[in-house]
Amino acid sequence: MKTVETGLSRSILSALLGVLFVHVSATSRCEFSAVFNFGDSNSDTGGLAASFWPAPEPNGESFWGHPAGRYSDGRLVIDFIANNLGLPYLDAYLNSLGTNFSHGANFATAGATIRRPDATLFESGLSPFPLDTQFSQFSQFKSRSQIISKKGGVFKDLMPKGEDFSRALYTFDIGQNDLTHCFFNNMTSAEVRANVPDILRQFTSIVKDIYEQGGRYFLIHNTGPFGCLAYVIERVNHKKSQIDKAGCVKTFNRVAQYFNKKLKEAVVKLRKEVPSGVFTYVDIYSLKYSLITHATKYGFEKPLEACCGHGGKYNYNRSMRCGSTVEVNGTRVLIGRSCRNPQVRVIWDGIHYTQAANRWVFDGIRGGSYSDPPTPLYLACQGNIH
């Protein structure tokens, strides 16, 4: 009986501390002690680069001054999120060199999907680290970090505290590759849509697993308008009637919107099934599509054209991508930045966004007007309380 009472007391204490944390946050900033991120290349801060090959020059040039594992000229949305919360930039879990996980870890890798890929990285371009693997890595990290921390000294300083896992913000930006992979395998729009329920079933299952591991605060991004990206547009034979006024492929974007509608419904369901969790849904699609369709209004130009690349209508060629080298008259030539000023461009390499665009998108997230519920980022620990 004593053991049961002790366990019950601890549970009550934990619940009270959680309530206290949210109550304090109702009148001040949420004091997130860490961020744990899951996703694809939109939020990969070095996972794929550490595992296979580095993101080559000129990636990173606008902020880091050198490649920094990110597929952009500078920072990503997740970098701005961490910075806004008063935390250092997230190190990739898969990076074994110079990493500091005391403030969280990033499990995202470029090419990652929610469902397990049906082909290798070299065959499909999809990451061997899908969402369930990222969760497994997180689960190991959670237990092993505490074992390592007990060694003391520098080991303790580089690991999160046990209580950080229930006081952290868990961020997700994944799903785009599941949809594009279906399209690239010649599925019709109807067939891609038919896959969405299973994709989201697996997604919500992982979110619940993280909750069981102590996660309480979740920031879930929907997928962007990938029908506006050169790597998608140039691969598909589409009729002129399928192109909207912005130059994007309607078919793809409609599927993205359908996915997002179902994702939002899944988040609403999570709130009912996991009432102790706080779930903020972020409409990344509307932000990015607004930027692309009203680029000039926001100080940008040529919103569909890659800043780094070579060839074609969109300055994008799969065989001559940003950072690759090609042989010209017996000399190896780097495919580098061809636009004059990345600060006024939306798309970096035909697939990913520039630092300037990522900053613009983050500014939309920060205020909460594109979130459901409409909660500023610094109050994301109380997103369901109204």
Side-chain angles (χ1 to χ4, degrees):
M1 180 63 72
K2 184 177 180 181
T3 302
V4 174
E5 290 175 349
T6 302
L8 182 60
S9 298
R10 288 176 178 170
S11 297
I12 293 173
L13 178 59
S14 177
L16 288 173
L17 288 174
V19 171
L20 177 62
F21 177 49
V22 174
H23 176 71
V24 170
S25 300
T27 56
S28 61
R29 294 180 62 93
C30 299
E31 296 299 332
F32 294 114
S33 54
V35 172
F36 295 102
N37 182 67
F38 303 82
D40 53 31
S41 59
N42 288 312
S43 60
D44 181 359
T45 58
L48 195 74
S51 304
F52 291 96
W53 46 76
E57 295 180 347
N59 286 294
E61 66 173 16
S62 294
F63 182 76
W64 315 98
H66 56 80
R70 295 153 173 83
Y71 294 91
S72 176
D73 63 312
R75 288 167 290 180
L76 311 180
V77 172
I78 188 62
D79 291 313
F80 290 110
I81 288 175
N83 184 252
N84 181 259
L85 295 176
L87 299 171
Y89 301 120
L90 293 183
D91 285 326
Y93 167 77
L94 292 168
N95 191 354
S96 60
L97 301 174
T99 49
N100 180 347
F101 298 123
S102 63
H103 52 276
N106 193 352
F107 301 90
T109 58
T113 50
I114 293 172
R115 296 194 296 190
R116 293 181 181 179
D118 54 10
T120 68
L121 172 68
F122 304 99
E123 294 170 315
S124 66
L126 298 180
S127 168
F129 306 107
L131 188 58
D132 65 342
T133 301
Q134 292 181 27
F135 168 72
S136 295
Q137 292 170 339
F138 165 75
S139 184
Q140 286 194 63
F141 175 82
K142 185 174 184 289
S143 58
R144 293 182 63 196
S145 64
Q146 300 312 291
I147 295 172
I148 293 171
S149 182
K150 290 178 180 178
K151 294 181 179 181
V154 66
F155 298 102
K156 184 177 181 180
D157 294 336
L158 296 177
M159 296 295 128
K161 298 179 177 64
E163 59 268 25
D164 290 338
F165 291 93
S166 61
R167 296 172 62 90
L169 181 64
Y170 291 81
T171 54
F172 297 82
D173 192 336
I174 194 167
Q176 176 176 311
N177 292 321
D178 292 89
L179 303 177
T180 56
H181 182 61
C182 287
F183 274 117
F184 295 162
N185 277 312
N186 298 316
M187 287 189 184
T188 64
S189 293
E191 289 171 330
V192 180
R193 286 171 182 247
N195 278 269
V196 170
D198 182 60
I199 294 170
L200 292 179
R201 179 188 61 79
Q202 296 191 41
F203 175 79
T204 55
S205 177
I206 296 298
V207 172
K208 289 179 180 179
D209 287 340
I210 293 173
Y211 177 85
E212 292 299 320
Q213 291 272 353
R216 291 296 179 268
Y217 309 105
F218 300 88
L219 191 72
I220 298 172
H221 295 181
N222 67 16
T223 196
F226 56 82
C228 300
L229 300 176
Y231 90 104
V232 171
I233 301 173
E234 66 88 29
R235 288 184 64 150
V236 180
N237 293 320
H238 47 266
K239 298 178 182 178
K240 190 174 182 180
S241 61
Q242 282 299 314
I243 303 299
D244 67 15
K245 293 181 180 179
C248 306
V249 183
K250 296 177 186 177
T251 310
F252 289 175
N253 281 348
R254 285 171 182 161
V255 170
Q257 290 172 317
Y258 176 77
F259 174 87
N260 292 339
K261 176 185 176 184
K262 294 301 179 181
L263 175 62
K264 189 172 184 179
E265 291 174 3
V267 171
V268 171
K269 188 176 180 181
L270 277 168
R271 290 178 184 142
K272 295 177 181 178
E273 295 177 347
V274 190
S276 296
V278 178
F279 300 92
T280 303
Y281 171 89
V282 183
D283 189 4
I284 291 291
Y285 181 99
S286 292
L287 276 164
K288 289 184 174 179
Y289 192 69
S290 178
L291 175 58
I292 289 168
T293 54
H294 302 291
T296 303
K297 173 183 176 182
Y298 299 121
F300 291 84
E301 63 183 26
K302 300 180 180 179
L304 300 184
E305 185 178 309
C307 178
C308 180
H310 178 75
K313 181 178 179 180
Y314 306 101
N315 196 38
Y316 175 83
N317 185 315
R318 272 182 288 164
S319 61
M320 293 187 288
R321 289 169 57 175
C322 178
S324 64
T325 57
V326 296
E327 188 169 314
V328 178
N329 298 324
T331 302
R332 301 300 295 179
V333 178
L334 172 73
I335 301 299
R337 174 166 59 83
S338 51
C339 75
R340 184 171 57 183
N341 183 11
Q343 299 304 311
V344 296
R345 299 296 285 273
V346 176
I347 304 300
W348 170 240
D349 57 4
I351 306 173
H352 309 100
Y353 289 72
T354 62
Q355 173 178 260
N358 287 327
R359 184 197 296 274
W360 189 92
V361 170
F362 166 73
D363 285 341
I365 294 173
R366 178 173 55 185
S369 58
Y370 285 84
S371 297
D372 177 48
T375 308
L377 180 62
Y378 70 91
L379 294 178
C381 62
Q382 57 161 330
N384 298 354
I385 300 175
H386 291 280

